[in-house]
Amino acid sequence: MFESYKKFNKDKLDILNSLEKPNWRRVGYQYEFKFDKIRELSKISDNDIIKIDEKIIKKIEFKNSFKENDYFIKMAELFFNSGVYIDNNKNSKYYFSFKGDKENNNILDYNIIIARENSESSIIFDYTGDIDVFRNSLFKIKAEKNAVINIFFVQRLSENSESFSNIIVEADRTSKVNQYFFSMGSKINMISNNVYLLDKEARSEVYSVYIGDKNKKIDLEFTTNHRAPYTESIIEGRGVLKDNSKKVFRGNLQFDRGAKKSIGKESEFTLLLNKNIKSDSIPTLKCDEDDVIGEHAASAGQLNDEKLFYLMQRGFDEKAAKKIIVMSSLKPIISKINNKKLVERLYNIIEERFS
């Protein structure tokens, strides 16, 4: 797309440079502008799907929007070099693979997904590669009346990659949007996910699996906004941390006035494998309506000595016993992926990390 955006897109670059660069003090990360070339990725997926372009972006309207001054959102809007537009009115399955290469180690993808009334979609976005890449993804997702979306975000980038994601979801009456996040790679992993339940009986489920080892920095934020009666939501995170990794998990439930009889549940479970880990869980409940149910829970702890002892008494050494416990902690969410080969790859990653 751009051989050199410094030369051909000075106006866009000036807009981006006018914004404050992100600084996540809690996990000790300050973003630095690192790349000078953005080219169009040659291959997005194996499906015959419309590639995103500016005409489509201007055509599709959403009721809610991202923050205008967000650095990474603006970067994806101005300099996207890949992405897809899905407009589904039936029952369909999609698989998309995003992979950088030596010529272009920047993945800036902008994706719009529309699930029409009564449709059902199953979508996998798989980010992978052996070289170190900078990935910045932007998603806008809309589920119309009685539509169902199952969407899987798999991030298994190389060890020194950096990964950023911003997702906005709008769910209409009696629709259901299920999101699954698998953060297995990259030294930096940041996710900001915002769901809006706009009409009666809309439902959202968000599940997140993450692995932190070495000096990884993980900052995850999942927010669900209940704006109509009888809406339901679940936010659940499961992770394993070791070495000197740092993690923040924010689970936010918002009940607006008029969201009567709505139910929101948020929970996170973190397994800590040593003492040098920094792990913060920040559940937040904001309520402007009386007749609702909001629940949140968070737990973080070392390996259960009794479970470890039980497995070692049955012939497993300590490493094998720990691996079994890690697998059992993450398996309930990983097993939901409807792609056997991908599930196997994720289990192999866990095997390698904890061998």
Side-chain angles (χ1 to χ4, degrees):
M1 183 176 291
F2 311 126
E3 179 64 24
S4 172
Y5 65 79
K6 286 185 177 179
K7 180 177 180 181
F8 298 109
N9 296 275
K10 186 179 182 304
D11 291 342
K12 291 182 179 181
L13 188 60
D14 288 343
I15 292 173
L16 193 62
N17 285 336
S18 69
L19 302 177
E20 183 179 353
K21 292 181 181 178
N23 181 12
W24 285 277
R25 292 185 178 86
R26 192 178 294 273
V27 294
Y29 176 76
Q30 172 70 55
Y31 174 74
E32 296 179 5
F33 202 76
K34 298 178 180 178
F35 54 91
D36 61 3
K37 289 184 179 179
I38 304 176
R39 295 175 178 167
E40 185 174 10
L41 295 186
S42 58
K43 186 177 181 182
I44 298 175
S45 75
D46 297 327
N47 295 73
D48 185 19
I49 297 295
I50 298 175
K51 295 174 71 171
I52 201 74
D53 60 34
E54 293 184 1
K55 291 182 180 179
I56 293 173
I57 293 170
K58 292 178 180 179
K59 176 183 175 182
I60 306 299
E61 294 184 0
F62 282 73
K63 296 179 181 178
N64 300 277
S65 61
F66 292 104
K67 296 177 181 177
E68 281 299 315
N69 62 346
D70 187 282
Y71 190 91
F72 288 121
I73 291 169
K74 188 58 67 176
M75 180 191 293
E77 290 177 342
L78 295 173
F79 296 107
F80 65 90
N81 64 345
S82 58
V84 296
Y85 170 58
I86 299 174
D87 192 335
N88 183 48
N89 60 5
K90 53 186 178 181
N91 295 342
S92 300
K93 293 183 179 180
Y94 307 92
Y95 173 84
F96 302 103
S97 177
F98 292 80
K99 187 176 183 179
D101 54 40
K102 292 181 180 179
E103 292 296 318
N104 182 11
N105 62 347
N106 301 294
I107 303 174
L108 306 178
D109 56 306
Y110 192 154
N111 308 278
I112 296 177
I113 300 166
I114 310 295
R116 299 299 180 184
E117 188 172 338
N118 297 316
S119 67
E120 184 168 351
S121 308
S122 180
I123 310 168
I124 297 175
F125 286 88
D126 186 14
Y127 297 85
T128 182
D130 297 325
I131 68 167
D132 298 334
V133 302
F134 174 88
R135 171 237 174 168
N136 181 21
S137 300
L138 178 59
F139 290 87
K140 295 184 178 181
I141 303 166
K142 182 182 293 186
E144 294 186 350
K145 182 180 178 182
N146 205 38
V148 177
I149 302 177
N150 295 292
I151 185 166
F152 303 85
F153 304 93
V154 181
Q155 187 271 102
R156 49 193 184 103
L157 297 170
S158 63
E159 282 295 299
N160 290 311
S161 295
E162 299 187 9
S163 176
F164 303 87
S165 301
N166 283 279
I167 304 101
I168 189 167
V169 176
E170 294 184 351
D172 211 334
R173 178 174 291 224
T174 63
S175 65
K176 185 175 182 181
V177 180
N178 302 319
Q179 300 178 80
Y180 305 87
F181 295 84
F182 303 93
S183 304
M184 300 294 186
S186 77
K187 66 178 180 180
I188 307 296
N189 187 48
M190 311 290 184
I191 298 174
S192 177
N193 180 263
N194 287 274
V195 177
Y196 296 88
L197 303 179
L198 301 179
D199 208 341
K200 187 177 180 180
E201 296 180 13
R203 183 175 175 85
S204 165
E205 295 185 11
V206 178
Y207 299 95
S208 174
V209 167
Y210 57 86
I211 293 177
D213 60 351
K214 300 181 180 178
N215 293 304
K216 283 186 171 58
K217 303 179 189 302
I218 302 171
D219 194 315
L220 310 176
E221 181 175 18
F222 300 98
T223 302
T224 302
N225 301 272
H226 294 258
R227 293 190 170 176
Y230 298 97
T231 54
E232 296 185 21
S233 70
I234 295 173
I235 300 172
E236 180 180 333
R238 289 180 176 268
V240 180
L241 302 175
K242 70 172 188 173
D243 303 328
N244 295 303
S245 57
K246 296 180 180 180
K247 176 232 66 177
V248 175
F249 186 100
R250 299 176 177 86
N252 307 314
L253 296 174
Q254 170 77 50
F255 295 93
D256 292 341
R257 184 163 296 280
K260 292 183 177 181
K261 305 295 182 181
S262 293
I263 300 173
K265 298 179 180 180
E266 185 270 334
S267 61
E268 194 224 351
F269 309 95
T270 309
L271 188 60
L272 309 178
L273 300 187
N274 58 281
K275 297 180 180 180
N276 297 325
I277 298 161
K278 181 177 175 58
S279 175
D280 290 326
S281 299
I282 309 174
T284 303
L285 177 63
K286 298 180 180 180
C287 189
D288 293 322
E289 181 60 68
D290 295 330
D291 192 7
V292 298
I293 297 175
E295 301 177 2
H296 59 77
S299 67
Q302 303 286 332
L303 282 171
N304 188 298
D305 290 336
E306 291 183 3
K307 289 182 180 179
L308 199 60
F309 177 78
Y310 176 86
L311 291 170
M312 292 177 68
Q313 287 296 305
R314 277 148 184 80
F316 296 98
D317 61 27
E318 185 175 352
K319 281 188 176 180
K322 286 182 178 180
K323 198 182 301 181
I324 291 172
I325 295 173
V326 168
M327 288 285 195
S328 64
S329 176
L330 305 181
K331 188 175 181 179
I333 299 179
I334 293 177
S335 61
K336 296 178 183 290
I337 299 178
N338 55 353
N339 184 309
K340 291 183 179 180
K341 289 184 178 180
L342 188 56
V343 170
E344 186 176 338
R345 288 172 189 161
L346 294 180
Y347 283 142
N348 288 339
I349 291 172
I350 298 171
E351 287 272 356
E352 293 172 2
R353 296 283 172 81
F354 297 97
S355 61

